[in-house]
Amino acid sequence: MANHSDASEENQKRKTATSDPREKATYAVPVAKGLINTLKHILRNEPNTIHYPDEKRTPYPGYRGEHRLKRDELGREKCVACFMCSTACPAHCIEIVAEEAPWDDREKRPRLFNIDMMRCIYCGMCEEACPCDAIELTPVFNIPARTRAEKIYDKDKLLSL
Amino acid sequence: MADQQTNDDTVAMTRWQLNGQEVESPTGMTIMEAAKEHGIEIPCFCYHPGLSIAGNCRICMVESNRSRKPVISCSEKIAEGLEIETESELAVSSRNSVMEFQLINHPLDCPVCDKAGECTLQDHSYKHGPDRSRFVEDKNIRHTKELGPSISIWGNRCIVCTRCIRFCDEISGTSELCIVERGDRSVVDVFPEIPIDNQLAGNTVDICPVGALISHDFKYEARVWNMDRKDSVCGGCSRGCNVEVETLDGFVKRLMPRENLEVNDWWMCDEGRYGWRHLYADDRLSQATRDGAALADVSATAALEQLLCESGPVAFLIDPYLTCEEMHLVQGLAASRPGSSVGGWLPEDGNAANFPSGFTISAAKYPNRAGAELIFGDQVFGDDAKELQKSLVSSDFTTVVAFCGGHLSSGPGESWAKSLSSTPTSIIFSVKNGPWLEGASLVLPATAPIEKDGTWINEDGRLQRTRSCWSPGTEPFSVELVRLQTLQNALGIRGRSLSAAGIFRELAATHDSFAGHNHSDLGSPGLLLSQRPAGIAMDGGSE
Ligand code: SF4
Ligand code: SF4
Ligand code: SF4
Ligand code: SF4
Ligand code: FES
């Protein structure tokens, strides 16, 4: 009880403090400073935005955009369908179905490899987990689509990127 | 473990020391087993409780006061005054060195190895192995080949523990496997022209501690950590082997035996193991039909209600795949329609088999004959069935409700099919499409054994709990347990629908043979019907 009344007294005090006209006046200085800054930029006329999509920005190295699946020297997919990426993926957006590889040097390859780009959070864990360096996040960031279905990338699409 | 009667007070005890603590264990136990009882798990590869001791992998070495060198705890027995250290410098360094040796020739296959995730070598390597290899020479290559119609070996992964070989020698008694070559080139193989092809072969894959033996059935099907597991019972024969059904996204991928020393030890037969494929065969039924026209699931239940509400006495034809709970519901229905009668059909007997280890496969290829005979009386598959067939042929009944379960059976025979189709209103619950559905008024899709939730009684009279491989709410159609209860509600003989455990409680309250039992007391090994769980209130216990 005692505490409660203390608190409301405190509030009361604070209210009177902010309604003090002298307090209010102190805002004027920073606001004015800010406006001057804005004015300076207007006069300098150097835009910080770019005219996308006419102009495109080069992403910084390490930018995590759309995925692709890599191919080896013989043009075969590097992926061995080990499910490490789908296991590591926090968004559970990678769907893999394995099949026997037709080549001698490996056992498995993916029959189906789908990434739901709408669900992906572009964290890069899949790339990190892959033991075969088969999946990577490219710097491609312009990724709009008209339907959700278009944003589920299958193996062929991922290999062609 | 298997053969030790640890709970028996008369067993002679031996005092020994484990990691500096004075402990007591039954005389004659090995150090590994005794330590396990005291909560200390010693790593092992070649030891398996169901097989003879080979003592060849050496990962289980511990320090002993009776020996200058470390001893292998899987074969060394405890003795009065023995002092064992499992975590001393000597024990730890022996273990780690063995682990390093195991790994020098082992391929880095884990990403593509089907055992990864349940691999003993992975587990031990994680706990006891070095984080990098000092081995710079070339790893040697051993054969990858088919050993039989259902099993292949990846020789590079084999750690030559001989578990598979001992299994074929001691459990199946077929001795197909052997070790060829010597030293680090030794690997498991079959004799020329004699593939491994016995009824228990699949077990070698389970007990292989690594991914050397791989079953073709599961190869590349799923990663083990992605699967859901349900403790269930195999409905392939009256033995009722305890199994674990593993599913991926609701589809069965693999059946594995579950330890039950009273029924199947650690094993199961291949027929049951690979039989799940029939669940997804082309002749599997999942669509209800009324006079040949497809029907939505709810309408099917409504049609069932309508047909039964209008009917007079009903003939019920049951099968030995139904759980005790489903049978109880059928009995309730029969009792509510005066003049009804119940009979059952039995699938044809298959081949029985006995193995040197005592493992048996029953000729009766269905799980719950004993349950049916307890609930409906001894003659349900005998005189009652004959009687029923006679009255169906002479058209005494206008309505018949038949259960044609079993995804592995070939369904009720021709004579039953004939008598079903000659009845004006025939309602058939069926797992598969088949000639017995000819002319049926209402066909309802039914659950196969591992899709059922309930209890079965095996040929020894052991009451065992089986669980559906479907998660609740994802069933592709209403299961019989639900449909029959909805029907009972509509007929006014039931107030509300219950779970399998609830139905079982009703059954236990009405049938003397089940009195005192309930689901929660069955535990994982099940109970003989004659063994009453102590101190159970008849209606007590929760599911
Ligand atoms: S970037 Fe992250 S969220 Fe997207 S697929 Fe890879 S692991 Fe999953
Ligand atoms: S982690 Fe790499 S190799 Fe493994 S499934 Fe994913 S992309 Fe393929
Ligand atoms: S046997 Fe075990 S350790 Fe060896 S590759 Fe397979 S999972 Fe990895
Ligand atoms: S195949 Fe498996 S069970 Fe057989 S010896 Fe090799 S590692 Fe042991
Ligand atoms: S487990 Fe003891 S030697 Fe293999």
Side-chain angles (χ1 to χ4, degrees):
Chain A
M1 263 331 206
N3 277 343
H4 182 234
S5 56
D6 278 357
S8 51
E9 256 169 48
E10 191 92 338
N11 275 346
Q12 204 58 39
K13 249 187 239 161
R14 225 180 275 144
K15 260 186 210 154
T16 32
T18 42
S19 56
D20 183 342
R22 276 166 305 162
E23 284 270 330
K24 242 188 216 165
T26 55
Y27 280 98
V29 181
V31 167
K33 269 188 189 162
L35 282 175
I36 290 168
N37 199 15
T38 313
L39 208 61
K40 256 193 223 160
H41 278 279
I42 290 173
L43 295 176
R44 220 184 275 154
N45 196 15
E46 272 174 12
N48 277 334
T49 51
I50 57 167
H51 291 276
Y52 185 84
D54 297 336
E55 279 171 50
K56 287 201 173 97
R57 201 212 301 266
T58 327
Y60 291 107
Y63 181 87
R64 300 191 300 267
E66 240 171 15
H67 305 67
R68 73 186 192 102
L69 284 177
K70 296 198 211 169
R71 291 178 188 273
D72 64 7
E73 321 75 61
L74 297 176
R76 310 171 301 182
E77 62 263 35
K78 274 183 159 183
C79 173
V80 295
C82 69
F83 289 65
M84 293 301 137
C85 50
S86 71
T87 303
C89 176
H92 300 299
C93 59
I94 306 181
E95 183 193 4
I96 305 171
V97 175
E99 68 176 2
E100 187 147 4
W103 313 299
D104 285 343
D105 60 343
R106 72 190 71 167
E107 294 172 358
K108 284 207 280 184
R109 69 164 181 188
R111 176 158 62 77
L112 190 108
F113 195 110
N114 288 347
I115 304 184
D116 186 345
M117 293 293 184
M118 296 284 275
R119 214 200 272 182
C120 174
I121 57 168
Y122 299 93
C123 63
M125 298 291 265
C126 46
E127 184 175 352
E128 195 109 337
C130 181
C132 299
D133 193 21
I135 191 168
E136 74 174 358
L137 274 68
T138 61
V140 178
F141 58 84
N142 48 338
I143 48 177
R146 284 175 195 278
T147 60
R148 278 170 186 273
E150 275 174 57
K151 295 311 294 177
I152 297 179
Y153 286 14
D154 62 7
K155 187 173 120 180
D156 293 333
K157 165 118 189 172
L158 288 165
L159 279 167
S160 66
L161 289 170
Chain B
M1 301 236 15
D3 43 353
Q4 315 281 347
Q5 300 154 330
T6 43
N7 295 335
D8 199 336
D9 292 339
T10 58
V11 164
M13 298 298 261
T14 301
R15 294 192 69 78
W16 59 297
Q17 266 191 26
L18 179 60
N19 292 345
Q21 297 226 318
E22 212 38 58
V23 290
E24 251 190 10
S25 305
T27 308
M29 253 193 180
T30 61
I31 298 171
M32 182 183 284
E33 286 165 351
K36 193 171 175 190
E37 295 220 323
H38 289 101
I40 293 190
E41 194 97 27
I42 300 174
C44 64
F45 287 122
C46 68
Y47 168 80
H48 187 284
L51 302 173
S52 63
I53 306 285
N56 58 30
C57 75
R58 321 306 284 187
I59 188 78
C60 65
M61 287 194 290
V62 292
E63 186 173 352
S64 156
N65 64 338
R66 299 271 168 89
S67 157
R68 208 183 288 230
K69 294 184 194 168
V71 298
I72 50 171
S73 60
C74 65
S75 85
E76 205 79 11
K77 298 226 157 63
I78 53 165
E80 208 64 47
L82 186 71
E83 289 169 23
I84 293 296
E85 289 290 339
T86 64
E87 301 306 323
S88 69
E89 204 177 309
L90 179 68
V92 170
S93 76
S94 324
R95 201 146 64 209
N96 293 356
S97 316
V98 169
M99 203 56 230
E100 189 171 4
F101 273 121
Q102 292 286 15
L103 293 177
I104 57 171
N105 268 312
H106 199 84
L108 227 173
D109 269 359
C110 304
V112 290
C113 178
D114 281 317
K115 196 77 172 191
E118 55 180 16
C119 171
T120 321
L121 192 64
Q122 269 186 334
D123 295 349
H124 291 348
S125 163
Y126 181 70
K127 276 195 216 136
H128 314 292
D131 60 352
R132 65 205 63 211
S133 177
R134 290 186 284 166
F135 189 70
V136 290
E137 293 79 2
D138 285 341
K139 295 196 177 206
N140 74 30
I141 306 288
R142 291 173 283 172
H143 60 223
T144 300
K145 66 184 244 189
E146 273 187 20
L147 294 183
S150 58
I151 295 173
S152 287
I153 185 164
W154 266 253
N156 289 344
R157 299 178 194 155
C158 176
I159 58 167
V160 204
C161 69
T162 71
R163 271 187 184 186
C164 54
I165 297 170
R166 279 175 283 148
F167 179 87
C168 290
D169 287 346
E170 297 160 17
I171 309 297
S172 68
T174 44
S175 304
E176 293 112 331
L177 298 179
C178 64
I179 297 225
V180 294
E181 297 277 9
R182 289 188 303 176
D184 64 351
R185 293 187 309 280
S186 38
V187 66
V188 168
D189 202 350
V190 285
F191 298 97
E193 312 284 317
I194 310 175
I196 171 165
D197 187 14
N198 63 65
Q199 287 169 289
L200 302 183
N203 294 297
T204 55
V205 177
D206 301 341
I207 58 171
C208 179
V210 292
L213 294 180
I214 296 287
S215 89
H216 300 164
D217 184 63
F218 185 63
K219 191 168 89 172
Y220 309 151
E221 281 286 330
R223 306 312 320 254
V224 298
W225 58 87
N226 287 334
M227 293 193 290
D228 294 321
R229 294 174 174 77
K230 287 274 176 65
D231 286 355
S232 191
V233 172
C234 174
C237 81
S238 292
R239 206 57 218 142
C241 287
N242 289 210
V243 295
E244 202 173 58
V245 180
E246 303 186 320
T247 56
L248 183 71
D249 302 332
F251 289 96
V252 177
K253 287 289 171 192
R254 177 168 76 166
L255 256 62
M256 294 266 269
R258 191 154 55 88
E259 176 184 335
N260 185 342
L261 298 178
E262 306 296 334
V263 180
N264 56 317
D265 296 340
W266 296 264
W267 328 117
M268 74 183 290
C269 79
D270 283 8
E271 204 178 322
R273 183 189 296 267
Y274 304 133
W276 64 266
R277 292 238 173 226
H278 291 270
L279 295 177
Y280 309 116
D282 293 339
D283 60 355
R284 180 73 204 268
L285 196 76
S286 57
Q287 173 73 57
T289 50
R290 172 114 195 230
D291 300 320
L295 211 58
D297 199 61
V298 266
S299 328
T301 311
L304 173 68
E305 284 165 15
Q306 187 214 337
L307 287 178
L308 270 234
C309 286
E310 291 165 357
S311 76
V314 180
F316 289 94
L317 176 64
I318 61 151
D319 65 32
Y321 300 96
L322 295 175
T323 59
C324 296
E325 290 77 1
E326 288 162 348
M327 289 178 184
H328 178 66
L329 294 173
V330 172
Q331 197 178 36
L333 286 171
S336 76
R337 316 261 94 183
S340 294
S341 110
V342 182
W345 64 275
L346 280 181
E348 266 168 42
D349 274 3
N351 293 328
N354 291 305
F355 296 90
S357 62
F359 184 88
T360 54
I361 301 176
S362 169
K365 302 292 177 198
Y366 34 81
N368 201 18
R369 180 182 182 156
E373 289 179 341
L374 277 177
I375 294 172
F376 296 107
D378 283 353
Q379 291 306 319
V380 65
F381 297 111
D383 292 348
D384 288 1
K386 278 191 204 126
E387 210 46 39
L388 186 77
Q389 188 154 28
K390 242 187 254 158
S391 44
L392 281 179
V393 169
S394 56
S395 301
D396 291 353
F397 290 101
T398 52
T399 310
V400 62
V401 176
F403 294 89
C404 304
H407 57 303
L408 298 174
S409 90
S410 47
E414 229 168 87
S415 54
W416 277 116
K418 242 187 233 145
S419 27
L420 288 180
S421 58
S422 65
T423 312
T425 310
S426 54
I427 301 164
I428 304 180
F429 287 84
S430 183
V431 169
K432 300 199 288 188
N433 267 316
W436 55 90
L437 297 182
E438 202 89 1
S441 327
L442 179 63
V443 175
L444 297 159
T447 47
I450 49 175
E451 294 162 350
K452 287 181 190 289
D453 215 354
T455 49
W456 282 324
I457 301 175
N458 83 347
E459 59 185 5
D460 298 341
R462 179 168 294 275
L463 188 62
Q464 303 200 92
R465 175 91 165 86
T466 177
R467 289 174 188 80
S468 170
C469 61
W470 292 329
S471 321
T474 64
E475 298 94 344
F477 49 81
S478 296
V479 298
E480 291 92 307
L481 196 72
V482 172
R483 242 201 269 269
L484 293 176
Q485 290 194 67
T486 318
L487 176 60
Q488 290 197 342
N489 289 334
L491 295 177
I493 52 173
R494 170 173 294 281
R496 64 191 175 106
S497 295
L498 301 172
S499 66
I503 304 291
F504 190 84
R505 272 206 297 277
E506 286 183 5
L507 174 66
T510 47
H511 268 271
D512 286 346
S513 358
F514 293 88
H517 285 289
N518 69 30
H519 276 192
S520 44
D521 291 310
L522 290 180
S524 64
L527 273 178
L528 285 177
L529 214 50
S530 50
Q531 291 172 332
R532 296 295 149 94
I536 299 299
M538 213 108 100
D539 54 349
S542 63
E543 45 281 7

